[in-house]
Amino acid sequence: QQQVKQSPQSLIVQKGGISIINCAYENTAFDYFPWYQQFPGKGPALLIAIRPDVSEKKEGRFTISFNKSAKQFSLHIMDSQPGDSATYFCAASLSGGYQKVTFGTGTKLQVIP
Amino acid sequence: NAGVTQTPKFQVLKTGQSMTLQCAQDMNHNSMYWYRQDPGMGLRLIYYSASEGTTDKGEVPNGYNVSRLNKREFSLRLESAAPSQTSVYFCASRAPAYNEQFFGPGTRLTVL
């Protein structure tokens, strides 16, 4: 049973444009929502994360928007650059303890010049 | 400080062969995880270890076994490899009181 649904599967954006990736979750007990970035041949690395007590978190060109009532959250990449080309995974978990994380299926982003 | 290391980086097995994937972390983390990554499937948890001496099944444990040898090392064993286990395997670790998981570089396994 997939508990985190991610879309789109792939995304092509022109340099300077806005990339938007969406995720929806089912378990209302989740209280930690990270986004991981993965470059080819590398392991995923934490990009940005949010807790459900805030509706938005911004770090540089990356912003998470969170809608608790809709059980949805999204990643926005402003002024997208070719170096942002990677696979992005959303995830959800219960913080603390052993923290079993449920990942989305990933979005392959390509930013073209 | 190497973070999370995995060996080998690549491996080709024949159906029925066995092998052990090694993982070690030097960050003094309690929790460690094994994931597999397949196209269109994201990262799926195979096994995890909340602390030294404990292991638990994740989402897709069938065909795998694990050993938490000590706080640093967490190995994944395939007793009788099958083509369905062709995948990229990632080990990860997490410190207590923090939510970020740190991933290793992965092992790309092909079972013929």
Side-chain angles (χ1 to χ4, degrees):
Chain A
Q1 179 183 0
Q2 183 188 354
Q3 297 185 24
V4 179
K5 294 184 178 180
Q6 182 173 348
S7 63
Q9 189 171 358
S10 63
L11 183 62
I12 299 175
V13 174
Q14 285 219 308
K15 179 182 175 181
I18 302 174
S19 304
I20 301 174
I21 304 170
N22 300 300
C23 283
Y25 62 98
E26 299 172 2
N27 187 347
T28 55
F30 287 145
D31 63 356
Y32 177 69
F33 301 88
W35 285 88
Y36 283 81
Q37 180 187 53
Q38 183 183 30
F39 293 106
K42 304 292 185 182
L46 181 67
L47 179 65
I48 186 173
I50 197 169
R51 293 193 181 277
D53 53 346
V54 296
S55 60
E56 186 175 281
K57 182 173 182 180
K58 184 176 181 180
E59 289 185 2
R61 297 183 293 108
F62 301 90
T63 299
I64 300 179
S65 297
F66 188 85
N67 186 331
K68 188 174 181 179
S69 61
K71 294 188 288 184
Q72 295 175 346
F73 59 110
S74 60
L75 177 69
H76 296 235
I77 306 174
M78 311 299 288
D79 187 26
S80 298
Q81 299 297 313
D84 297 330
S85 297
T87 299
Y88 293 82
F89 293 95
C90 63
S93 72
L94 298 172
S95 58
Y98 54 78
Q99 198 216 38
K100 205 163 59 173
V101 179
T102 300
F103 286 88
T105 51
T107 297
K108 187 172 184 178
L109 170 66
Q110 184 180 359
V111 181
I112 55 177
Chain B
N1 195 347
V4 179
T5 57
Q6 292 183 237
T7 56
K9 292 189 185 308
F10 302 94
Q11 184 70 47
V12 178
L13 293 177
K14 294 182 179 178
T15 297
Q17 288 185 316
S18 62
M19 80 160 295
T20 299
L21 282 65
Q22 306 286 353
C23 173
Q25 52 92 8
D26 60 2
M27 297 175 283
N28 201 34
H29 289 172
N30 289 331
S31 301
M32 297 185 73
Y33 310 79
W34 275 106
Y35 295 91
R36 61 177 288 173
Q37 182 176 21
D38 303 289
M41 303 292 288
L43 291 154
R44 292 183 292 169
L45 183 64
I46 305 171
Y47 270 93
Y48 64 96
S49 171
S51 61
E52 184 179 353
T54 67
T55 61
D56 283 289
K57 295 178 180 179
E59 183 184 354
V60 289
N62 292 343
Y64 305 95
N65 284 301
V66 291
S67 295
R68 183 73 183 266
L69 305 170
N70 47 55
K71 192 170 186 179
R72 289 187 64 248
E73 298 172 289
F74 188 37
S75 62
L76 179 71
R77 182 160 178 83
L78 286 71
E79 291 292 350
S80 179
S84 61
Q85 294 177 306
T86 293
S87 187
V88 181
Y89 291 85
F90 288 100
C91 177
S93 70
R94 184 183 74 89
Y98 293 94
N99 290 300
E100 179 179 0
Q101 290 195 7
F102 294 83
F103 285 81
T107 294
R108 185 173 294 274
L109 174 67
T110 301
V111 183
L112 303 175

